[in-house]
Amino acid sequence: MITLALSKGRIFEETMPLLAAAGIEVTEDPDKSRKLILATTRADVRVVLVRASDVPTYVQYGGADLGVTGLDVLLEHGNQGLYQPLDLRIAACRLSVAVRADYDYASAVKQGSRIKVATKYVGLARDFFASKGVHVDLIKLYGSMELAPLTGLADAIVDLVSTGNTLKANHLVEVERIMDISARLVVNQAALKLKREAIRRIVDAFESAIPSA
Ligand code: PRT
Ligand code: MG
């Protein structure tokens, strides 16, 4: 049995065409069922639904053999015990710094002021600002980062941006792009040895179906 960990939403949806290329179709709709283990058209392949931030953990400890996870989640988690064979080029976005339109970020950086930054990505934000020599106080949030500068909780946020519509709707502006993000296939290292053939076939099929740049 091969177990693939996915999160509901864009990762699940954008992984379906890749699975189809491997001749695998999920036979249940995750939005219409409360099941967390989904069968597929292949008796030896199943999908488990986990929180996006839990995918690396499931694969690292062998709760799943493979998983699809954003580079943001993967870097924040650390890639210990994970073999990372493919950039799937799906669920693309960027990790950026954003502030209120009336906050002068450039001056704050230049003057060496301490900047209050709210983010779910405390590790990535710490590394980024340290590499630039910018002093920050990091505030950990679990969601709705966009609200933090509007309420005075923080001066800036570090969050994912794709269309930019969410920032715009909240009168925030992107002031720095930290890195480009896309979803990665991750594989448990022990599974790679024990189930080499079956995993190799899935990895190869995914690779052949990756959207071109
Ligand atoms: O939602 P939940 O708390 O359950 O988990 P999650 O937010 O971690 O999962 P999900 O499904 O929202 O995101 C899974 C992965 O998709 C992320 O880890 C990213 O790698 C990737 N991804 C790609 C995105 C986006 N694009 C994205 N736009 N994840 C989140 N967003 C959010 C962003 O945080 C912001 O709130 O969408 C908003 C901005 O979008 P635009 O289009 O308005 O700019
Ligand atoms: Mg989300």
Side-chain angles (χ1 to χ4, degrees), residues 7-11 51-53 69-73 91-93 120-121 142 145-146 159-167 181-183:
S7 55
K8 272 193 186 184
R10 69 191 102 216
I11 295 280
R51 279 298 292 266
S53 48
T69 181
L71 180 63
D72 50 321
V73 171
C93 57
K120 179 159 117 178
Y121 304 102
Y142 292 89
M145 263 73 80
E146 295 86 0
D159 194 11
L160 303 174
V161 181
S162 54
T163 61
N165 290 339
T166 305
L167 292 182
I181 300 287
S182 54

Side-chain angles (χ1 to χ4, degrees), residues 69-171:
T69 181
L71 180 63
D72 50 321
V73 171
L74 187 58
L75 292 177
E76 195 66 28
H77 172 88
N79 50 16
Q80 323 86 305
L82 296 173
Y83 171 60
Q84 197 194 309
L86 295 178
D87 176 353
L88 300 174
R89 298 211 212 109
I90 57 170
C93 57
R94 55 196 185 269
L95 185 71
S96 293
V97 183
V99 299
R100 265 166 60 158
D102 61 1
Y103 178 79
D104 191 347
Y105 176 76
S107 296
V109 167
K110 206 147 136 219
Q111 288 162 13
S113 322
R114 286 197 88 82
I115 301 175
K116 278 192 289 177
V117 179
T119 186
K120 179 159 117 178
Y121 304 102
V122 172
L124 288 173
R126 182 182 294 114
D127 290 350
F128 173 71
F129 290 112
S131 75
K132 294 181 43 109
V134 174
H135 298 288
V136 292
D137 290 320
L138 294 169
I139 301 167
K140 167 86 183 183
L141 289 179
Y142 292 89
S144 302
M145 263 73 80
E146 295 86 0
L147 193 56
L150 307 179
T151 54
L153 179 68
D155 303 311
I157 60 172
V158 166
D159 194 11
L160 303 174
V161 181
S162 54
T163 61
N165 290 339
T166 305
L167 292 182
K168 205 175 291 167
N170 291 291
H171 311 288

